[in-house]
Amino acid sequence: MKAAVSAQERSVPTAGSPTAGSRAPGRDLPAAKPRRLAAGTLLVMTVLLAACLASLAFGARPVGIGALLEAFTAFDPANGDHAVVHSRIPRTVTGLLAGAALGLAGAAMQGVARNPLADPGILGVNAGASLAVVTGIYAFGITQLSGYIWLAFLGAAAAAAVVYTIASLGREGATPVKLALAGAALSAGLGSLLHAVLVTSRDTLESFRFWQVGSLSGRDWDAVGQVLPFLLAGLLVTGCTGRLLNNLALGDDAARGLGQQVALSRAVSALGIVVLCGSATALAGPIAFVGLVIPHVVRAFTGPDYRRILPLSALLAPALLLGADTLGRVIALPGEVQAGIMTAAVGAPVFIWLVRSRKAAGL
Amino acid sequence: MSATGTVAGREAAGTPDSMNTGGPSADTAAPVLRRHRRGRMVAAGLVAAVVALFLAGVLLGSYLVSLPDFFRLLAGAQIPGASFIVMENRLPRAVVGIMTGIAFGLAGSIFQTMLRNPLASPDIIGISYGASAGAVAAMVLFGAAGFAVSAAAMAGALLVALLIYVLSHRHAGPSNAASSRLILTGIGCAAILQALVSYLLTRADVRTAQAALVWLNGSLNSSNWDRAAVLAACLLVLLPAAAALSRSLRGLEMGDDAAAGLGVTVAPARLGLVTVAVLLAAAATAAAGPVAFVAFLSAPIARRLLRGRASLAVSALVGAVIVLAADFAAATVLPQFLTNGTALPVGVVTGALGAPFLLWLLVSANRVGRGG
C-alpha cells in the first residue's frame, strides 16, 4: 500500500495542470520538458553509436577508425584489420540485442512490480536459468550454446513466476524488501542445488563455469538467429505496455478506476518480461544489474512516463553492456573480464546508492 | 511462524529463557510454567539427539568401532587402525560439526530476531558470500590451502559485514527502515561478491575450481584438531557474549521503541549483537565453509519446537543437530547408495533439504505479513 501511495505521489500532476480524472487514461502524467527529452534522446543515441564503434574497434588487436570504416565500405579479405572487425560483428550484435532485452525487461519489471529495485539478477531469474542449464549439461550432456537456450528460458520463467508469486502473497503485495528477499532466498536455494551437481561432476563444472559469468564472447549468427524471434516478440509486446504500466503505477485501485483490467495487463507485461529475460540469458548468460541501473538513469530525462522510459531504456542498456564488454576486453590483456562481471562492478554501487537514497529506503 | 505463535513469543519474551541460569520464579503464571517445562524438555531432547548423532558419526561408517573401544581410545589406548580413524579423522570432524552448528544456529537466530525478519540470516544477506569471496580469492590467486583459507574467509566475512554496516548506516530516518536498508544493502553486496566468485572460478585451473567449489558448499572433510581448537577458542569468547546480550535481543525483538522503553540502549545493543553474530558466522564459515541454510533454518525450527518462543540456546542446539545429521547423511549414508563411495560435502545435504523448507517459510511468512 505504501508503494502505491508513493507511486501516486510521484506521478501527481504538477501544479496548474488538469487533475488526473479529467483526461484519458495514460495521459495524466506531467510532460517531461521537451527540450530535456530531446537532448536526452540525442545523448542516448550518441552513446549507443559510440559503444558500437568501440566494441568493433577495441580488443586484443585495436583497429583504427579509418580501417574500421573501410572494413564496411571496401572489405578486403586479405586485410587482417578488416577480418578482425568482421569477426567482432556477431559479438556486437549479440550485445545490442541482449542489452536491449535486459534494459526493456528491467524497466517493465520495475513498472509491474512498482518496485525500484526489480532486476533479473536480484529477483533470482538468473539463478533459475543457471540451474536449468546445469541440469541440462549434467543430465543430458548438452554442451552446445544452442542447447542452453531452451533450458535458460524454462529456468528463467519458472524462477520469475515462483519469486513473484511468493512475494505478492500477503496484505501489502510485492514490496521491494519481500521481492528482494524472495529472490535472494530462491537464489541461495537454487545455488546450493547447483553446487551439488557441480561438485559431483567435473565435466559439468568445466562447461558451466564459463557460461555462468555472463559473456558476449564466442557468440555466432546461429545463436543469434535462434533467439531472435523470441527476442523480437518480447520487445514488441513489452514495448507496447507503456500505457498499461503508467496506469499500474497509480496503484491497482486507481488503475481499475481508469477502466484497466489490472490482472490481465500484469500478466501480459510479465509474459513479455519473462520472454525478454529468457532470451537475454540464453544469448549472453546471466547478466545482472543492467536492467536495474538503466531505467533509473533514463528517468532523469523522461520523468515517470513509461511510454518514454521503455524505448530509451532499450536504447541505453545495449550501450552499457557493450561498453562493459569492451572495457573488459581491454583491462586484463591478454585475457578478458567477462561482460557480466563488469556490469556487476558498475551496477552494485548504483543499487546500494538507491537503497541509501530516501526514495528506496522509505519503502 | 503462525500468527498465534508470534503472539505467544511476544508474551513470553519478557521471561527468562533457558539461556539464563535462573529458573522460573514461584509466582509465575501456570501457562508460562508449562512453557518452561516444555522448553527444558525440548532442550534435553536436542542434547540427546546431538549425543546420539555424535556417537553415530564417530562409531559408524565403513570401519565400525565399538563403544567400549571408543572409550578406551579416549582414555589414550592405542588400537591399530581405529586409533587413526577415530582420533584423527572422525572425532575432530564431529567436534567441528557440533561447534559450527552451534555458531551458525546462534548467528542466524540473532540476525533474524534482531532484524525482525525470518529471512534475514547471514547466508542470505551477504556475510557468507564475503567469506566465500575471501576464501576463493586466496585459493585461486595465491594457491592457499588449509589455515590460510580459513583466515581469508574470516577476513572476507568481517570486511563485508563492516561494509554492509557502514553503507546501510544513517543517522536520520525512522529506525525500522534501518533493518530493511541493512537487508537490501546485504543483498546488493551478495550479488557483486557472487560475480567475483564466478569470475575467479573461470580464472582457475579446473582442479582448483573444484576444490574451491567443495569449500563453497561447506564441508567437514578437512576438519582437524587445529581447526577445532581455533573454533573452540572463538566460541569460548563469543558464547558468553551472546548470553549476556540475549536480554537486549529480546527487547529489540519487540521493536526499537519498546526496547528503549524496557531500558535497552538500542544503538549500542544493536552494534554489539551484530558484532557477535558476524563473528560467530565468520568463525564457523572459516572452519567448515558456508554450510548452506544452517543459520537460516535453526531459529525457525527452534521456534516451532518451542511453540513460538524464541530461544538462543535451543537455536544453537538445533544448528548442531542439523550439521551432525546432514554430515552423517552426506559422508556415511548417501555415498553407499548414490556416489560410489565419495563423501559429499555436508552443504549439499543441508542445501537440498533447506531449499524447499525455505520456500514454504517464505510463503507462510508473507501470508501473515511478516515477510518484510
Side-chain angles (χ1 to χ4, degrees):
Chain A
M1 209 51 221
K2 264 187 210 162
V5 169
S6 71
Q8 222 159 357
E9 277 168 1
R10 247 184 287 140
S11 50
V12 156
T14 42
S17 64
T19 48
S22 68
R23 286 219 189 167
R27 297 191 175 206
D28 52 342
L29 291 167
K33 296 183 186 83
R35 196 177 297 161
R36 197 169 180 190
L37 185 65
T41 312
L42 198 67
L43 187 68
V44 166
M45 298 283 221
T46 320
V47 170
L48 180 60
L49 189 67
C52 285
L53 289 179
S55 167
L56 290 171
F58 294 114
R61 176 173 172 170
V63 177
I65 188 80
L68 181 63
L69 293 178
E70 261 174 42
F72 288 99
T73 52
F75 179 62
D76 174 11
N79 187 326
D81 278 353
H82 292 188
V84 166
V85 169
H86 271 246
S87 72
R88 285 182 190 146
I89 294 177
R91 183 172 188 159
T92 307
V93 171
T94 307
L96 276 173
L97 292 174
L102 285 171
L104 196 56
M109 223 181 218
Q110 292 175 10
V112 173
R114 272 204 298 269
N115 184 326
L117 302 181
D119 170 82
I122 302 289
L123 295 192
V125 173
N126 287 346
S130 297
L131 185 64
V133 166
V134 128
T135 313
I137 300 176
Y138 178 69
F140 308 113
I142 299 169
T143 51
Q144 296 302 307
L145 197 61
S146 56
Y148 298 164
I149 290 177
W150 304 107
L151 293 168
F153 245 129
L154 216 68
V162 168
V163 166
Y164 192 76
T165 314
I166 289 176
S168 56
L169 290 172
R171 245 176 336 190
E172 324 87 328
T175 64
V177 176
K178 275 162 72 177
L179 265 176
L181 268 177
L186 191 72
S187 296
L190 296 178
S192 47
L193 295 181
L194 190 84
H195 283 173
V197 176
L198 292 179
V199 160
T200 47
S201 160
R202 182 175 290 171
D203 294 341
T204 311
L205 172 65
E206 184 61 21
S207 321
F208 177 73
R209 62 184 175 143
F210 294 103
W211 182 84
Q212 189 196 16
V213 285
S215 163
L216 299 180
S217 69
R219 270 54 179 176
D220 55 11
W221 292 116
D222 273 358
V224 175
Q226 271 183 321
V227 183
L228 198 59
F230 294 97
L231 214 135
L232 290 179
L235 287 176
L236 198 70
V237 170
T238 314
C240 297
T241 54
R243 257 181 59 165
L244 303 182
L245 294 178
N246 279 347
N247 290 342
L248 283 180
L250 299 173
D252 286 2
D253 294 340
R256 227 170 262 131
L258 291 169
Q260 187 166 355
Q261 291 184 299
V262 170
L264 182 68
S265 44
R266 267 228 173 92
V268 168
S269 322
L271 183 71
I273 292 166
V274 165
V275 170
L276 284 176
C277 287
S279 346
T281 312
L283 261 180
I287 288 183
F289 289 116
V290 172
L292 173 82
V293 173
I294 291 298
H296 287 286
V297 178
V298 166
R299 279 198 191 96
F301 310 124
T302 61
D305 187 347
Y306 274 99
R307 284 170 303 174
R308 302 201 170 98
I309 293 175
L310 290 177
L312 277 189
S313 295
L315 287 178
L316 189 58
L320 174 64
L321 187 56
L322 285 174
D325 183 47
T326 312
L327 195 63
R329 264 185 264 165
V330 181
I331 59 168
L333 289 172
E336 55 178 71
V337 181
Q338 290 83 354
I341 310 291
M342 297 302 295
T343 56
V346 175
V350 176
F351 178 89
I352 290 167
W353 171 76
L354 279 173
V355 171
R356 276 177 68 86
S357 73
R358 188 182 50 79
K359 221 188 245 172
L363 308 164
Chain B
M1 218 51 37
S2 68
T4 50
T6 312
V7 172
R10 298 234 165 117
E11 272 170 15
T15 60
D17 69 3
S18 46
M19 196 85 197
N20 293 9
T21 43
S25 54
D27 54 80
T28 327
V32 177
L33 200 65
R34 212 176 303 135
R35 221 174 278 136
H36 271 267
R37 202 171 296 144
R38 181 177 175 86
R40 250 183 259 137
M41 274 169 58
V42 166
L46 286 171
V47 169
V50 168
V51 171
L53 286 164
F54 176 82
L55 288 177
V58 172
L59 303 181
L60 304 180
S62 53
Y63 183 96
L64 291 174
V65 180
S66 71
L67 199 57
D69 273 356
F70 174 58
F71 285 121
R72 249 181 284 152
L73 283 170
L74 279 187
Q78 291 290 327
I79 302 172
S83 273
F84 178 78
I85 289 180
V86 171
M87 298 306 287
E88 298 302 320
N89 187 352
R90 289 187 190 162
L91 196 56
R93 185 186 183 106
V95 169
V96 171
I98 290 182
M99 289 193 292
T100 43
I102 288 176
F104 275 131
L106 271 181
S109 181
I110 291 175
F111 265 109
Q112 289 164 336
T113 315
M114 185 181 67
L115 297 176
R116 289 193 291 282
N117 192 318
L119 306 173
S121 81
D123 32 9
I124 308 267
I125 64 167
I127 289 157
S128 298
Y129 286 106
S132 304
V136 173
M139 282 164 123
V140 171
L141 299 179
F142 306 108
F147 184 73
V149 173
S150 302
M154 189 106 176
L158 296 180
L159 262 179
V160 168
L162 188 68
L163 192 71
I164 295 173
Y165 191 78
V166 169
L167 286 176
S168 65
H169 189 73
R170 266 190 4 184
H171 286 289
S175 57
N176 64 340
S179 295
S180 68
R181 217 163 37 227
L182 194 76
I183 294 170
L184 289 170
T185 310
I187 288 174
C189 289
I192 191 169
L193 291 166
Q194 219 170 1
L196 182 67
V197 168
S198 306
Y199 173 65
L200 287 171
L201 285 183
T202 64
R203 296 290 304 237
D205 168 66
V206 71
R207 282 165 200 283
T208 319
Q210 203 169 28
L213 207 59
V214 169
W215 192 91
L216 281 176
N217 253 306
S219 164
L220 297 174
N221 288 349
S222 47
S223 305
N224 54 33
W225 286 118
D226 288 349
R227 238 172 242 203
V230 173
L231 187 54
C234 294
L235 288 188
L236 264 182
V237 180
L238 293 172
L239 288 186
L245 285 165
S246 67
R247 229 187 106 74
S248 327
L249 181 62
R250 276 197 306 277
L252 286 177
E253 189 192 8
M254 289 184 280
D256 289 359
D257 295 340
L262 287 174
V264 177
T265 42
V266 171
R270 203 180 258 276
L271 185 62
L273 282 164
V274 168
T275 313
V276 169
V278 165
L279 286 173
L280 280 167
T285 312
V291 185
F293 291 123
V294 177
F296 174 78
L297 291 178
S298 299
I301 293 178
R303 240 177 225 273
R304 297 240 131 190
L305 290 175
L306 294 174
R307 303 247 168 92
R309 203 157 61 85
S311 159
L312 288 181
V314 175
S315 304
L317 285 173
V318 170
V321 170
I322 293 176
V323 172
L324 284 178
D327 189 49
F328 185 65
T332 314
V333 181
L334 287 179
Q336 302 195 350
F337 304 109
L338 282 180
T339 55
N340 308 324
T342 359
L344 288 169
V346 58
V348 168
V349 175
T350 56
L353 293 179
F357 186 79
L358 168 74
L359 288 179
W360 173 77
L361 197 71
L362 276 167
V363 169
S364 59
N366 284 347
R367 200 169 275 155
V368 297
R370 278 173 56 88

